[in-house]
Structure formats: C-alpha cells, structure tokens
Amino acid sequence: MTVDLAIGELMVAAAAREIRDQERIFVGMRLPMLAFFLARRTHAPAAVGIFENGVIRDRPSPAPLATMSDTPNVAGALWCGGMLQPMGLLQRGEVDVGFIGGAEVDRHGNVNSSYIGDPKAPKVKLPGSGGGADIASLARRILLIMPHDRRRLTEHVSYVTSPGHGNGPGWRDRVGLPPGGPSALITTMAVFRFVDGEALLESWHPGFDEGDVLRATGWRVRPAEDAGPTPPPSEEELAVIRELDPDGVWTRR
C-alpha cells in the first residue's frame, strides 16, 4: 500500500463498486455512508440512501456526520420519517442492498454483534442487533464490512445475530428467509465473494498477499479462480472520497 492511500479509502472504493445505479441502499454510518455517496457521485447517480432513523437522501449531507440523526442529515433530505418507514421498506422487499458489520463473521456470512463466549456467562457483551437482523434477513443482498482478524473472521460465530447463509446453500429457503444474504465481505485486508453460500477470497489489498489473508482468517479459505490484488481507487474515486472525508475521520482512523 502506498503512503498516500489509506486502507479505509480502499475499502470505501471497493464497497462503492458493489452498488448499482437506481438501487435503494440501507446505508448506515462511517465507511458504508461514504461508499454510498461515492457511488452516487460516480457510476450510480440514481441510487437512493435509506437511513435506519427514517431519513432518505440522494446526496451527501452539507456537513460531516457523527451519527445519522445529526441535524445536517436532515438538510436536503428527500424525506424524513420514523424508523417504521425504512423497516417497512425492508419487509416489502424494496431494499436492494444493506450494509452490516459486527464483532464476528463466519465463512457463510453469519454475523455476531451480541456476545462472545458462553451465552450464560459471556466473555464480552456487545450492543446486539439494532436493525442488523432485519437488514440481513430482508434486504435483497448484503455487503459486510469488517476489520480483518482471526478472532473476528472465525469458523463459527459465538451467536448468530444477523443471519447470512446459515450453514450453506439452501439454508435461507429452508428456514423461510427470502433469497439474498451476503454477496461480499470487505475487510481491512481483502475482499471475499459469496458463492453458493461460502466466502471465497476474491482479492487482497495492496501491502498484503494471499498468504497473509489465509493466515489471518479463522477458516480454511478457498481462493476464487481469478483471485488477485484489489484494484485501487481511481484518481476520481480518491478525490471524491477525500472531499467527503477531508480530515480522514472515517477512512484514516
């Protein structure tokens, strides 16, 4: 990785490329929000962002946000309602993409944000689902963004807060969930692509190689046939990212 390019900037660019034009995106904060606005400014000018608190907007806020309920997120919004409305869009199957993060993820894209260890005496208590389980269950596809660590990318999560592909192909249908689930996992080291319910290594970021990713992952990783380096942001993409996050608050933490 070059000195000029931060891993967070690379992750934002990789996530933005997963967004298609005219899609409705359940955005969230930090890197997912930047990825949505980057996609809007480049290849997906008609994409629409949905925030869990009921704000729907199609352009960046006029000032940086610390939370989705900050006043600048209201300015210029297409619509401001309550939490019931975005959750209703999920239930009707009208959300194309949802972003999810958490403490743990496994090879099938199941995410844990509840606790680590024995549920009767957990080692670590975590915030829980929020809207994560709803998004993972009902959006047409899911993009996962996580720090890369063997303790986080684990063979089996301690608890399934937000369901992915369960134990493999056909699981979502068997338990009554709509088609969908995770399509990509973007970490601080790599990009994984879900194929038949399993995360395959698609690319590794500059500064790392395939071996680094395999050693830092808690399951036996299978590389995709065309696996290779993650494409860096273009000059245009990088300029937009730095315009959106000029102080590197989210991308250079």
Side-chain angles (χ1 to χ4, degrees), residues 9-196:
E9 293 171 333
L10 186 69
M11 294 171 71
V12 168
R17 293 167 189 160
E18 299 292 324
I19 295 172
R20 303 162 191 162
D21 199 17
Q22 299 186 352
E23 287 191 319
R24 292 172 287 257
I25 316 299
F26 218 105
V27 180
M29 286 297 296
R30 303 180 181 89
L31 300 188
M33 182 179 66
L34 296 178
F36 165 69
F37 290 139
L38 173 60
R40 279 274 319 183
R41 291 276 297 274
T42 53
H43 64 277
V48 175
I50 303 167
F51 290 83
E52 188 175 346
N53 65 346
V55 173
I56 297 178
R57 61 184 309 122
D58 63 350
R59 67 194 66 187
S61 61
L65 301 175
T67 77
M68 66 180 67
S69 294
D70 287 358
T71 302
N73 205 27
V74 175
L78 293 174
W79 186 76
C80 293
M83 293 183 66
L84 179 62
Q85 284 76 25
M87 293 304 172
L89 292 174
L90 277 169
Q91 291 178 336
R92 294 199 298 269
E94 295 182 17
V95 174
D96 298 295
V97 178
F99 281 95
I100 294 288
E104 293 181 326
V105 63
D106 64 25
R107 70 166 70 221
H108 298 300
N110 304 300
V111 174
N112 172 27
S113 57
S114 295
Y115 58 79
I116 305 296
D118 186 340
K120 296 181 180 179
K123 296 178 182 178
V124 179
K125 293 183 178 180
L126 301 166
S129 170
D134 303 80
I135 298 167
S137 299
L138 300 173
R140 293 176 181 174
R141 71 180 190 281
I142 298 299
L143 301 177
L144 305 173
I145 295 187
M146 300 274 290
H148 201 127
D149 183 292
R150 285 185 67 88
R151 295 171 297 175
R152 288 179 174 269
L153 276 69
T154 181
E155 181 71 31
H156 301 288
V157 295
S158 298
Y159 182 82
V160 178
T161 308
S162 302
H165 296 287
N167 57 13
W171 178 85
R172 292 180 68 91
D173 182 60
R174 290 195 298 273
V175 300
L177 290 177
S183 62
L185 165 62
I186 300 164
T187 77
T188 47
M189 292 180 68
V191 176
F192 294 81
R193 181 73 53 192
F194 287 87
V195 178
D196 293 330

